[in-house]
């Protein structure tokens, strides 16, 4: 009799778990809808091909990054691509400032949810957070947010600023666990 009761309870638990609305698959579907609603609600223009380096970005224009589901990128401000140094001889020398793997990135950012009237977390100034977020570009053990690394690759240069729509699976571990997408406004410098 105990075996029958146990079997019935186990079966009931199995059925209840299988019908749950909070499966990862269902949460991902909800996240996809949330991202699509955010894009529609804000009238964003999505381009499928990566814009050229001299492209002038529209205020609502986003590039859907190839190879990444639901990662959207918009360049707000192009950084410094060339630094001109004056040599002792009086000549000038130019240096390409393109960000390379293992550069130490200093990031300030704003984070907000995709729902209407979402809360904003701001780490934009020293009044918000005393120290900026620092990590080595390309090292996901220091900064597990893959989307930030992709955004830096697309920004290319120090002193750039961008806006990205980040699905949970490309975000930080807390976002991955809760299946929560965010929008980030990100500005970067390279530590000298």
């Amino acid at each position: 009799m105990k075996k029958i009761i146990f079997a019935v309870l186990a079966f009931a638990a199995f059925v209840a778990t299988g019908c749950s609305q909070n499966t990862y698959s269902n949460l991902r579907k909800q996240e996809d809808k949330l991202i699509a609603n955010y894009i529609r609600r804000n009238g964003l223009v999505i381009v499928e091909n990566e814009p050229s380096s001299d492209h002038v970005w529209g205020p609502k224009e986003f590039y859907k990054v190839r190879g990444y589901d639901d990662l959207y990128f918009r360049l707000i401000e192009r950084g410094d691509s060339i630094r001109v140094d004056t040599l002792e001889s009086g000549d000038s020398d130019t240096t390409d400032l393109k960000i390379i793997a293992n550069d130490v990135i200093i990031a300030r950012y704003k984070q907000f949810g995709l729902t209407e009237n979402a809360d904003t977390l701001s780490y934009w100034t020293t009044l918000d957070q005393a120290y900026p977020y620092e990590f080595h570009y390309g090292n996901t053990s220091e900064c597990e947010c893959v989307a930030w690394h992709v955004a830096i690759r697309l920004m290319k240069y120090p002193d750039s600023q961008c806006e990205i729509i980040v699905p949970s699976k490309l975000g930080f571990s807390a976002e991955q666990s809760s299946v929560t997408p965010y929008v980030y406004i990100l500005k970067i410098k390279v530590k000298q």
Side-chain angles (χ1 to χ4, degrees):
M1 182 70 170
K2 288 182 183 179
K3 288 181 183 180
I4 293 173
I5 292 173
F6 179 74
V8 169
L9 290 175
F11 179 74
F14 176 74
V15 169
T17 303
C19 295
S20 172
Q21 294 297 322
N22 291 330
T23 65
Y24 181 73
S25 176
N26 286 339
L27 292 173
R28 285 284 299 125
K29 287 176 187 174
Q30 290 172 5
E31 178 183 41
D32 291 345
K33 286 179 185 177
L34 183 60
I35 292 171
N37 287 340
Y38 178 82
I39 290 169
R40 189 182 66 253
R41 187 175 65 247
N42 289 288
L44 304 182
V45 176
I46 306 302
V47 296
E48 299 289 329
N49 296 316
E50 184 177 346
S52 63
S53 60
D54 60 347
H55 178 75
V56 177
W57 291 77
K60 293 186 178 255
E61 183 180 21
F62 279 77
Y63 164 53
K64 184 175 183 179
V65 182
R66 251 190 211 150
Y68 299 93
D69 292 339
D70 290 331
L71 175 61
Y72 298 89
F73 171 88
R74 181 175 78 84
L75 187 65
I76 296 171
E77 188 174 319
R78 189 175 317 283
D80 297 329
S81 60
I82 298 175
R83 181 178 69 218
V84 178
D85 294 324
T86 304
L87 304 174
E88 290 180 18
S89 64
D91 294 336
S92 62
D93 181 33
T94 59
T95 306
D96 185 14
L97 293 177
K98 197 169 191 176
I99 296 172
I100 58 173
N102 223 26
D103 276 350
V104 177
I105 303 298
I106 301 170
R108 288 283 183 185
Y109 65 95
K110 294 178 185 176
Q111 170 193 342
F112 53 94
L114 276 64
T115 58
E116 292 186 67
N117 303 317
D119 289 335
T120 300
L121 292 176
S122 182
Y123 300 97
W124 202 248
T125 68
T126 54
L127 294 175
D128 300 325
Q129 179 74 23
Y131 299 102
Y133 191 79
E134 288 188 21
F135 61 96
H136 287 86
Y137 169 57
N139 185 344
T140 55
S141 65
E142 287 182 17
C143 174
E144 73 267 17
C145 184
V146 171
W148 280 28
H149 294 276
V150 173
I152 290 167
R153 176 179 54 83
L154 294 168
M155 286 192 282
K156 298 179 185 161
Y157 303 108
D159 300 318
S160 292
Q161 186 176 328
C162 76
E163 182 174 356
I164 51 177
I165 301 171
V166 180
S168 62
K169 63 184 173 184
L170 298 175
F172 290 95
S173 58
E175 297 155 16
Q176 292 171 16
S177 298
S178 64
V179 191
T180 306
Y182 283 105
V183 173
Y184 289 95
I185 298 174
L186 182 65
K187 63 181 175 181
I188 61 167
K189 294 186 178 294
V190 175
K191 193 172 194 175
Q192 300 297 329

